[in-house]
Amino acid sequence: MHQILAKQSLSPNVTRLDVHAQRIAEIRQAGQFVIVHLNENSERIPLTIADSNPATGTITLVIQAVGKSTNELVALNAGEFIRDVAGPLGHPTEMITSGHALCIGGGVGTAVAHPIAQGLNKVGVRVTSVIGGRSKEWVIFENELKRYGNVIVCTDDGSYGRKGFVTDAVKEILAKEKVDIVYAVGPVPMMRAVANLTRGLGVHTIVSLNPVMIDGTGMCGGCRVSVGNETKFACVDGPEFDGHTVNFDELQDRLSTYREFEQRSVACARGTCRMEMPTTTPA
Ligand code: NAD
Ligand code: FES
């Protein structure tokens, strides 16, 4: 059992939980994730470790409440317990050790970009973070990222920072500064747009993929993605991949297929579901 030691609301549907998980806090590296199992009957939820504190034995999880299980998770309060937290899972982020890195976070993906910026800063890499949200209230982890370098904030509606998508700011930076590597985490259209910007410039670009995961061990196939015409499993081969070789169309397709299940399960949990669960299973 893992106790929740602190809870904080970061944006309208994003919550931060600091959870006791001593061993994971000691050994986790940037880019790694855990699979959380709230109770005996709940689904498994993959969550990137946004931060950790080995001294207090805590890991920071940032949860966007979109489905039944994530809504149940964010309903827990400090002092309550999560049944299982398995990890750290996945490959650590491929790091450079000198030069200039651009860390891009879109929406809740900014929490995933945080440990990458933290890890790069630790080894002496210059970090510029570009983070975005729909409006001011959706911008997260700005102050945390400021510890590691310059932070450029973008909002779609211009209510805070620059007006526009993160890609607008990224385009300008790439035009005037030498950038050795780009890390992008956020919605699939954002990661695809970043990869399209950097491809022609030959700037190595790493994206963190978020397909549906079930077992997290490479056995169920739920997190299958196509990268460079090869089939990969995000849980054991990723979750980070070369953004220039990811098949984003397929990823988007598979995510959309599951969305209907997610919406239906939230409605059923609220007692407002009037239809059968869809029977289509993703290809
Ligand atoms: P959002 O849709 O509000 O977008 C956040 C920001 O991303 C926008 O403000 C904008 O700057 C940028 N963006 C969005 N669409 C863009 C486009 N077409 N071109 C360029 N930039 C664009 O984000 P949200 O609601 O926080 O959603 C987060 C998404 O990220 C979810 O779909 C979630 O599944 C995904 N996610 C991904 C990871 C990961 O590891 N890749 C982790 C957590 C969440
Ligand atoms: Fe099952 Fe990756 S989650 S194969």
Side-chain angles (χ1 to χ4, degrees):
M1 298 290 274
H2 298 266
Q3 191 170 31
I4 297 169
L5 299 179
K7 176 179 180 178
Q8 187 190 358
S9 171
L10 300 182
S11 81
N13 73 346
V14 177
T15 302
R16 169 183 174 146
L17 297 180
D18 290 310
V19 179
H20 191 257
Q22 183 70 51
R23 183 77 183 126
I24 301 174
E26 285 168 7
I27 62 171
R28 69 95 196 179
Q29 295 180 59
Q32 292 188 299
F33 65 99
V34 290
I35 289 197
V36 167
H37 196 206
L38 192 52
N39 57 50
E40 213 173 325
N41 303 315
S42 66
E43 291 167 333
R44 294 149 190 262
I45 311 169
L47 294 166
T48 300
I49 306 164
D51 202 355
S52 71
N53 183 341
T56 55
T58 51
I59 56 170
T60 300
L61 304 177
V62 174
I63 304 119
Q64 187 177 36
V66 285
K68 178 174 172 280
S69 302
T70 46
N71 273 291
E72 282 171 359
L73 185 58
V74 301
L76 294 179
N77 289 309
E80 294 189 279
F81 290 86
I82 295 170
R83 181 190 159 112
D84 300 308
V85 178
L89 300 169
H91 287 284
T93 301
E94 174 193 331
M95 293 278 177
I96 53 169
T97 51
S98 62
H100 182 202
L102 210 53
C103 289
I104 307 161
V108 67
T110 307
V112 181
H114 174 262
I116 301 174
Q118 186 181 50
L120 291 163
N121 173 261
K122 210 171 181 175
V123 295
V125 173
R126 179 183 158 217
V127 177
T128 300
S129 300
V130 181
I131 61 175
R134 285 168 234 170
S135 61
K136 186 178 181 186
E137 60 184 350
W138 295 90
V139 174
I140 65 169
F141 269 70
E142 179 189 359
N143 290 333
E144 288 84 347
L145 284 165
K146 276 184 177 162
R147 296 182 196 137
Y148 313 122
N150 191 26
V151 179
I152 297 158
V153 180
C154 310
T155 50
D156 303 2
D157 63 2
S159 54
Y160 187 54
R162 287 178 52 127
K163 187 176 191 311
F165 284 169
V166 284
T167 38
D168 301 328
V170 168
K171 202 172 178 179
E172 283 179 23
I173 295 169
L174 290 169
K176 62 180 187 205
E177 286 189 55
K178 181 175 183 321
V179 172
D180 299 292
I181 192 162
V182 167
Y183 299 87
V185 194
V188 173
M190 184 211 95
M191 295 191 287
R192 186 208 317 256
V194 170
N196 286 342
L197 281 178
T198 57
R199 186 176 286 107
L201 300 169
V203 181
H204 186 37
T205 298
I206 294 176
V207 294
S208 176
L209 304 187
N210 62 325
V212 169
M213 288 190 191
I214 301 166
D215 62 343
T217 66
M219 293 177 74
C220 73
C223 67
R224 176 169 65 77
V225 290
S226 295
V227 181
N229 294 325
E230 280 183 55
T231 295
K232 299 278 182 189
F233 298 112
C235 65
V236 289
D237 299 320
E240 294 175 2
F241 296 99
D242 178 346
H244 295 155
T245 59
V246 168
N247 184 334
F248 288 109
D249 289 336
E250 185 192 75
L251 176 63
Q252 186 71 67
D253 250 27
R254 285 172 61 78
L255 284 169
S256 321
T257 310
Y258 284 110
R259 199 151 293 141
E260 202 187 336
F261 284 86
E262 227 161 42
Q263 287 164 352
R264 201 65 60 82
S265 69
V266 173
C268 292
R270 290 179 181 151
T272 56
C273 182
R274 290 189 182 83
M275 292 164 71
E276 293 298 309
M277 283 289 278
T279 49
T280 325
T281 48

